[in-house]
mmCIF file of all heavy atoms in Angstrom:
data_model
loop_
_atom_site.group_PDB
_atom_site.id
_atom_site.type_symbol
_atom_site.label_atom_id
_atom_site.label_comp_id
_atom_site.label_asym_id
_atom_site.label_seq_id
_atom_site.Cartn_x
_atom_site.Cartn_y
_atom_site.Cartn_z
ATOM 1 N N ALA A 118 146.395 129.259 141.238
ATOM 2 C CA ALA A 118 147.624 129.550 140.511
ATOM 3 C C ALA A 118 148.439 128.298 140.238
ATOM 4 O O ALA A 118 149.304 128.291 139.363
ATOM 5 C CB ALA A 118 148.466 130.556 141.282
ATOM 6 N N ALA A 119 148.186 127.232 140.977
ATOM 7 C CA ALA A 119 148.974 126.011 140.817
ATOM 8 C C ALA A 119 148.667 125.297 139.507
ATOM 9 O O ALA A 119 149.498 124.551 138.997
ATOM 10 C CB ALA A 119 148.715 125.063 141.990
ATOM 11 N N SER A 120 147.480 125.505 138.947
ATOM 12 C CA SER A 120 147.107 124.821 137.719
ATOM 13 C C SER A 120 145.907 125.517 137.113
ATOM 14 O O SER A 120 145.198 126.253 137.797
ATOM 15 C CB SER A 120 146.780 123.354 137.995
ATOM 16 O OG SER A 120 146.348 122.705 136.819
ATOM 17 N N SER A 121 145.655 125.275 135.835
ATOM 18 C CA SER A 121 144.541 125.939 135.155
ATOM 19 C C SER A 121 143.370 125.004 134.891
ATOM 20 O O SER A 121 142.467 125.342 134.152
ATOM 21 C CB SER A 121 145.029 126.541 133.826
ATOM 22 O OG SER A 121 145.506 125.528 132.972
ATOM 23 N N ARG A 122 143.358 123.825 135.505
ATOM 24 C CA ARG A 122 142.236 122.914 135.277
ATOM 25 C C ARG A 122 142.009 122.041 136.514
ATOM 26 O O ARG A 122 142.919 121.803 137.303
ATOM 27 C CB ARG A 122 142.485 122.017 134.057
ATOM 28 C CG ARG A 122 143.641 121.052 134.206
ATOM 29 C CD ARG A 122 143.862 120.227 132.938
ATOM 30 N NE ARG A 122 142.688 119.486 132.563
ATOM 31 C CZ ARG A 122 142.367 118.300 133.063
ATOM 32 N NH1 ARG A 122 143.131 117.726 133.988
ATOM 33 N NH2 ARG A 122 141.287 117.672 132.663
ATOM 34 N N GLY A 123 140.764 121.592 136.654
ATOM 35 C CA GLY A 123 140.436 120.658 137.723
ATOM 36 C C GLY A 123 140.581 121.223 139.114
ATOM 37 O O GLY A 123 141.079 120.543 140.007
ATOM 38 N N VAL A 124 140.140 122.462 139.332
ATOM 39 C CA VAL A 124 140.241 123.071 140.657
ATOM 40 C C VAL A 124 138.901 123.670 141.064
ATOM 41 O O VAL A 124 138.102 124.096 140.228
ATOM 42 C CB VAL A 124 141.331 124.157 140.722
ATOM 43 C CG1 VAL A 124 142.708 123.561 140.520
ATOM 44 C CG2 VAL A 124 141.079 125.256 139.700
ATOM 45 N N GLY A 125 138.671 123.721 142.374
ATOM 46 C CA GLY A 125 137.452 124.326 142.889
ATOM 47 C C GLY A 125 137.648 124.843 144.296
ATOM 48 O O GLY A 125 138.498 124.352 145.044
ATOM 49 N N TYR A 126 136.885 125.871 144.645
ATOM 50 C CA TYR A 126 136.924 126.468 145.985
ATOM 51 C C TYR A 126 135.492 126.874 146.326
ATOM 52 O O TYR A 126 134.941 127.780 145.707
ATOM 53 C CB TYR A 126 137.855 127.678 145.995
ATOM 54 C CG TYR A 126 138.165 128.242 147.370
ATOM 55 C CD1 TYR A 126 139.453 128.169 147.892
ATOM 56 C CD2 TYR A 126 137.190 128.859 148.145
ATOM 57 C CE1 TYR A 126 139.759 128.693 149.143
ATOM 58 C CE2 TYR A 126 137.472 129.369 149.386
ATOM 59 C CZ TYR A 126 138.758 129.299 149.881
ATOM 60 O OH TYR A 126 139.051 129.818 151.127
ATOM 61 N N LEU A 127 134.899 126.174 147.280
ATOM 62 C CA LEU A 127 133.515 126.442 147.668
ATOM 63 C C LEU A 127 133.428 126.744 149.160
ATOM 64 O O LEU A 127 134.186 126.190 149.958
ATOM 65 C CB LEU A 127 132.620 125.240 147.372
ATOM 66 C CG LEU A 127 132.426 124.800 145.921
ATOM 67 C CD1 LEU A 127 131.483 123.604 145.875
ATOM 68 C CD2 LEU A 127 131.875 125.940 145.078
ATOM 69 N N LEU A 128 132.499 127.608 149.525
ATOM 70 C CA LEU A 128 132.178 127.796 150.931
ATOM 71 C C LEU A 128 131.330 126.615 151.399
ATOM 72 O O LEU A 128 130.555 126.044 150.633
ATOM 73 C CB LEU A 128 131.411 129.103 151.132
ATOM 74 C CG LEU A 128 132.169 130.384 150.777
ATOM 75 C CD1 LEU A 128 131.325 131.600 151.111
ATOM 76 C CD2 LEU A 128 133.512 130.455 151.476
ATOM 77 N N LYS A 129 131.499 126.251 152.670
ATOM 78 C CA LYS A 129 130.789 125.083 153.188
ATOM 79 C C LYS A 129 129.278 125.246 153.118
ATOM 80 O O LYS A 129 128.539 124.266 153.004
ATOM 81 C CB LYS A 129 131.234 124.792 154.619
ATOM 82 C CG LYS A 129 132.610 124.163 154.708
ATOM 83 C CD LYS A 129 132.938 123.706 156.112
ATOM 84 C CE LYS A 129 134.247 122.955 156.158
ATOM 85 N NZ LYS A 129 134.598 122.506 157.530
#
Side-chain angles (χ1 to χ4, degrees):
S120 177
S121 62
R122 65 182 302 276
V124 295
Y126 190 113
L127 296 181
L128 297 184
K129 285 188 174 179

